[in-house]
Amino acid sequence: MSSWPVNCLVLMYKSLIMKNITRRNFFNNAIKATVAGSVAIPYLFNGVKAMAQGSTEELLSSSASALQFSQIKLPYDYAALEPNIDATTMDIHYNKHHAAYIKNVNEAIAAENISFATEKEFFANASKLSAKARNNGGGAWNHNFFWQCMMPNAGGTPYGKIVSALDGAFGSVPKFKEAFTTAAMTRFGSGWAWLVKDASGKLVVTSTPNQDNPLMDTAEVKGTPILALDVWEHAYYLKYQNKRNEYVANWFNTINWEEVAKRLA
Ligand code: MN
């Protein structure tokens, strides 16, 4: 009887050899299993504690998978959107502004024990977040989205089903551009212009202040973002100074309509 663990190990070992797993892997895995066992204990303990307090939410929030924002790789070179957006602006915008939002939101998530599991859930609870978490979380997400709204040699003209979608919602593509430009131009101070699909599936143009976005429960117009334009001065001031109107007009040349079509699907 006393030799059964040894026999058991021998059997496991034999079966692993049959699966062509090396001896070294077997011992590594055995070590990992032991480590995993001891790591699991505090999580189990947290779970039990939450159950004792009788809250399902607390139990869920004790999960080890806290949300982390990460910065996407820029899908093109800094100079790729020239002459509409200059390389220096892209470099500073991506490496300084956006990188800082990412760093700061993750700091806030850790420091404030923010336990939302997904970005969607995070923004749906924006009204409950600290200013640091809300502003930097918005900044992190909005820029990841914004980089993908643009592409080199974009051509500037929507095509296919995008045209019929914009025609249906705004009357025509020029009328959509007019509505979007108005949203971008009338957003006082810093913020964003958006094309959004609202809860009823309707396409609408809106704008948000600061780093807010339409995913936030605080947004005037809520919905799924389809297209976004950053109208913070840091997005255009080096090249356009006070001429936001020229920046907005030229930005239309950079729109990645292929990506917009995917988001409309
Ligand atoms: Mn920005």
Side-chain angles (χ1 to χ4, degrees):
M1 279 298 283
S2 63
S3 65
W4 76 265
V6 176
N7 291 340
C8 208
L9 278 171
V10 168
L11 276 173
M12 278 169 70
Y13 191 24
K14 279 181 181 166
S15 76
L16 286 168
I17 288 170
M18 284 172 71
K19 288 176 191 163
N20 292 324
I21 293 174
T22 65
R23 190 167 186 269
R24 177 184 285 186
N25 277 344
F26 173 71
F27 285 111
N28 281 348
N29 288 337
I31 289 163
K32 276 182 202 154
T34 311
V35 171
S38 49
V39 165
I41 289 166
Y43 292 122
L44 270 173
F45 179 67
N46 285 340
V48 169
K49 216 166 53 177
M51 277 166 81
Q53 288 163 356
S55 159
T56 309
E57 266 178 32
E58 276 167 356
L59 181 62
L60 290 171
S61 72
S62 71
S63 136
S65 59
L67 173 65
Q68 283 267 305
F69 282 84
S70 52
Q71 189 176 28
I72 65 158
K73 192 180 176 299
L74 201 63
Y76 34 76
D77 296 337
Y78 302 130
L81 305 177
E82 296 259 18
N84 302 296
I85 299 178
D86 61 287
T88 310
T89 296
M90 281 303 298
D91 183 354
I92 296 171
H93 201 173
Y94 177 81
N95 288 308
K96 305 294 181 194
H97 295 278
H98 190 200
Y101 296 129
I102 300 274
K103 179 178 166 282
N104 291 335
V105 68
N106 289 332
E107 259 176 35
I109 287 169
E112 299 168 28
N113 293 312
I114 295 170
S115 56
F116 302 120
T118 63
E119 293 171 351
K120 199 179 163 194
E121 205 187 328
F122 180 92
F123 292 124
N125 289 280
S127 56
K128 297 172 203 153
L129 296 173
S130 68
K132 180 174 179 176
R134 173 173 160 177
N135 291 334
N136 289 287
W141 193 91
N142 296 352
H143 288 85
N144 276 341
F145 186 80
F146 180 52
W147 309 136
Q148 297 172 83
C149 287
M150 302 179 286
M151 64 180 284
N153 312 312
T157 319
Y159 50 85
K161 65 174 183 176
I162 309 162
V163 175
S164 47
L166 294 177
D167 282 354
F170 303 98
S172 67
V173 172
K175 280 192 177 148
F176 155 72
K177 280 179 84 170
E178 204 182 298
F180 198 91
T181 302
T182 302
M185 290 305 297
T186 56
R187 169 49 56 192
F188 186 77
S190 299
W192 292 76
W194 302 90
L195 174 66
V196 165
K197 197 193 263 185
D198 75 9
S200 67
K202 204 176 143 211
L203 286 178
V204 286
V205 160
T206 185
S207 74
T208 53
N210 307 315
Q211 294 293 355
D212 283 3
N213 67 45
L215 298 167
M216 293 183 175
D217 61 348
T218 48
E220 211 175 299
V221 175
K222 287 180 263 299
T224 308
I226 304 293
L227 187 64
L229 173 58
D230 188 344
V231 294
W232 280 59
E233 285 186 346
H234 70 222
Y236 62 87
Y237 209 84
L238 288 180
K239 182 179 170 75
Y240 295 97
Q241 293 84 46
N242 59 320
K243 292 163 281 195
R244 189 191 280 191
N245 58 330
E246 285 181 20
Y247 160 67
V248 174
N250 289 344
W251 173 78
F252 279 102
N253 300 324
T254 71
I255 297 175
N256 184 346
W257 290 111
E258 210 172 299
E259 187 62 33
V260 170
K262 273 190 233 161
R263 291 166 183 168
L264 281 173

